[in-house]
């Protein structure tokens, strides 16, 4: 056992290639040192001007330093190349392993610089829709709103969205302003129903519910249009007709409302509209 632990000089021997590189490096350094000393001596003996002598000494010193760096690069070129390839391989592996984290950080920078949304805004990314309650460098947390893209009730579920989605997917911000916004909802009818009367009733109910704050919303939207250089459409409630298929008529209602009151005013208008009137045509 002690014999196996005995100091054996051959165990410390360097590979022939490494030994040759070390010898070449030593010879290069020695040659540059000798040449620099000889050159400095010649300059000091033969140059009388102190200013010129100092400038020549500095220039030759820097020249020999550059020559030494180039020589070392030539001697150790293969090893430097192998080291560079190893560093690149490690860097690529690191990027691949942390791709999602990098995308999340990029998404946080993108949404912050673009001002896509703030806390409290209602946003939609892909199939995720809700009110923003928290933001970090890696994720955004929303309280889900639904059902679907037209509902405005909170489902009670919390969704954590990775910020990487903001790099590849468009963000819909439903909170155009902090105080007033436009709300749109659709009421479907059959072609044979009395949708003309329903349209009149919808518009009347919308005007009645919006009347208390209509002037304030009009002034605010006008101010937003001036500050952002936009032509803001009229805030007066309106009902438009759409025909998505041959047998259907859709009445689309657009009206101003506060961001948090969309569902409330929509339900109030529909309840009033359908309270005492049946718009369907009874067949004999």
């Amino acid at each position: 056992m002690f014999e196996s632990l005995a100091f054996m000089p051959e165990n410390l021997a360097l590979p022939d290639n490494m030994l040759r590189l070390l010898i070449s490096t030593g010879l290069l350094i020695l040659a540059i040192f000798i040449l620099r000393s000889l050159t400095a001596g010649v300059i000091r003996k033969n140059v009388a001007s102190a200013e010129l002598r100092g400038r020549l000494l500095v220039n030759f010193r820097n020249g020999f330093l550059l020559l030494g760096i180039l020589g070392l690069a030539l001697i150790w070129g293969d090893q430097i190349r192998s080291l560079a390839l190893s560093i690149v391989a490690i860097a690529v592996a690191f990027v691949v392993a942390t791709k999602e984290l990098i995308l999340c950080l990029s998404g946080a920078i993108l949404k912050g610089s673009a001002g896509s949304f703030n806390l409290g805004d209602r946003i939609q990314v892909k199939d995720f829709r809700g009110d923003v309650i928290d933001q970090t460098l890696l994720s955004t947390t929303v309280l889900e709103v639904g059902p679907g893209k037209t509902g405005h009730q909170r489902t009670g579920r919390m969704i954590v969205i990775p910020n990487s989605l903001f790099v590849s997917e468009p963000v819909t911000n439903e909170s155009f302003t902090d105080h007033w916004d436009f709300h749109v909802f659709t009421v479907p009818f059959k072609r044979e129903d009395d949708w003309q009367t329903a349209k009149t009733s919808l518009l009347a109910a919308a005007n009645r519910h919006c009347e208390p704050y209509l002037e304030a919303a009009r002034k605010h939207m006008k101010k937003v249009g001036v500050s952002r250089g936009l032509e803001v459409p009229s805030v007066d409630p309106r009902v438009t007709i759409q025909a998505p298929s041959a047998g259907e008529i859709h009445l689309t209602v657009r009206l101003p409302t506060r961001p948090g009151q969309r569902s409330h005013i929509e339900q109030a208008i529909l309840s009033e509209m359908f309270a005492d009137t049946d718009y369907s045509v009874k067949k004999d």
Side-chain angles (χ1 to χ4, degrees):
M1 181 179 68
F2 290 103
E3 291 179 356
S4 61
L5 296 177
F7 177 75
M8 303 183 70
E10 57 270 20
N11 293 336
L12 299 179
L14 294 173
D16 294 340
N17 185 46
M18 183 63 66
L19 183 60
R20 179 178 58 81
L21 293 175
L22 291 175
I23 293 174
S24 300
T25 302
L27 292 176
L28 174 65
I29 294 174
L30 180 62
I32 290 177
F33 179 77
I34 293 173
L35 288 174
R36 179 184 171 186
S37 300
L38 293 175
T39 304
V42 171
I43 292 174
R44 289 190 180 95
K45 289 181 179 180
N46 298 292
V47 179
S49 173
E51 182 179 352
L52 179 60
R53 184 169 60 246
R55 187 163 60 250
L56 289 174
L57 287 173
V58 171
N59 291 338
F60 274 101
R61 182 190 63 192
N62 294 335
F64 282 122
L65 178 61
L66 179 61
L67 181 63
I69 293 174
L70 292 176
L72 291 175
L74 291 174
I75 294 173
W76 295 89
D78 292 338
Q79 281 66 29
I80 293 174
R81 192 178 303 110
S82 300
L83 178 61
L85 291 175
S86 300
I87 294 175
V88 170
I90 294 173
V92 170
F94 177 79
V95 170
V96 171
T98 59
K99 176 184 176 182
E100 289 300 323
L101 292 178
I102 294 173
L103 286 176
C104 286
L105 293 175
S106 301
I109 295 173
L110 176 62
K111 71 177 182 178
S113 60
S116 304
F117 54 85
N118 298 309
L119 288 176
D121 288 353
R122 181 163 296 176
I123 65 170
Q124 179 175 337
V125 185
K126 294 189 71 174
D127 296 329
F128 307 115
R129 179 169 175 259
D131 298 326
V132 180
I133 61 172
D134 191 22
Q135 300 184 73
T136 67
L137 288 175
L138 300 179
S139 64
T140 298
T141 305
V142 302
L143 289 179
E144 187 183 40
V145 173
K149 297 181 180 180
T150 58
H152 298 279
Q153 300 292 334
R154 288 183 176 175
T155 64
R157 297 190 299 181
M158 184 178 71
I159 304 175
V160 180
I161 304 173
N163 289 341
S164 57
L165 284 182
F166 302 131
V167 178
S168 57
E169 298 292 336
V171 180
T172 302
N173 189 341
E174 299 181 18
S175 303
F176 177 65
T177 67
D178 295 333
H179 302 286
W180 300 99
D181 202 354
F182 289 113
H183 175 49
V184 179
F185 63 93
T186 299
V187 184
F189 290 92
K190 295 180 180 179
R191 181 64 66 91
E192 60 270 17
D193 292 339
D194 188 10
W195 56 266
Q196 295 90 343
T197 303
K199 178 184 176 184
T200 303
S201 300
L202 265 176
L203 185 59
N207 281 316
R208 191 158 38 251
H209 283 278
C210 294
E211 184 179 3
Y213 58 78
L214 194 59
E215 187 61 30
R218 186 178 290 113
K219 291 180 179 178
H220 180 76
M221 288 297 181
K222 184 177 180 180
K223 185 185 300 183
V224 170
V226 172
S227 63
R228 299 193 181 188
L230 301 174
E231 184 179 352
V232 180
S234 172
V235 299
D236 295 329
R238 62 178 57 180
V239 179
T240 57
I241 303 172
Q242 295 180 340
S245 64
E248 293 185 357
I249 291 292
H250 287 185
L251 300 181
T252 301
V253 184
R254 194 219 66 183
L255 48 83
T257 180
R258 292 188 181 276
Q261 297 295 317
R262 295 187 183 95
S263 178
H264 172 75
I265 194 170
E266 177 182 329
Q267 293 301 311
I269 292 172
L270 292 177
S271 297
E272 178 179 330
M273 175 187 171
F274 290 106
D276 302 317
T277 306
D278 184 5
Y279 300 96
S280 61
V281 176
K282 303 294 189 301
K283 295 182 179 180
D284 296 333

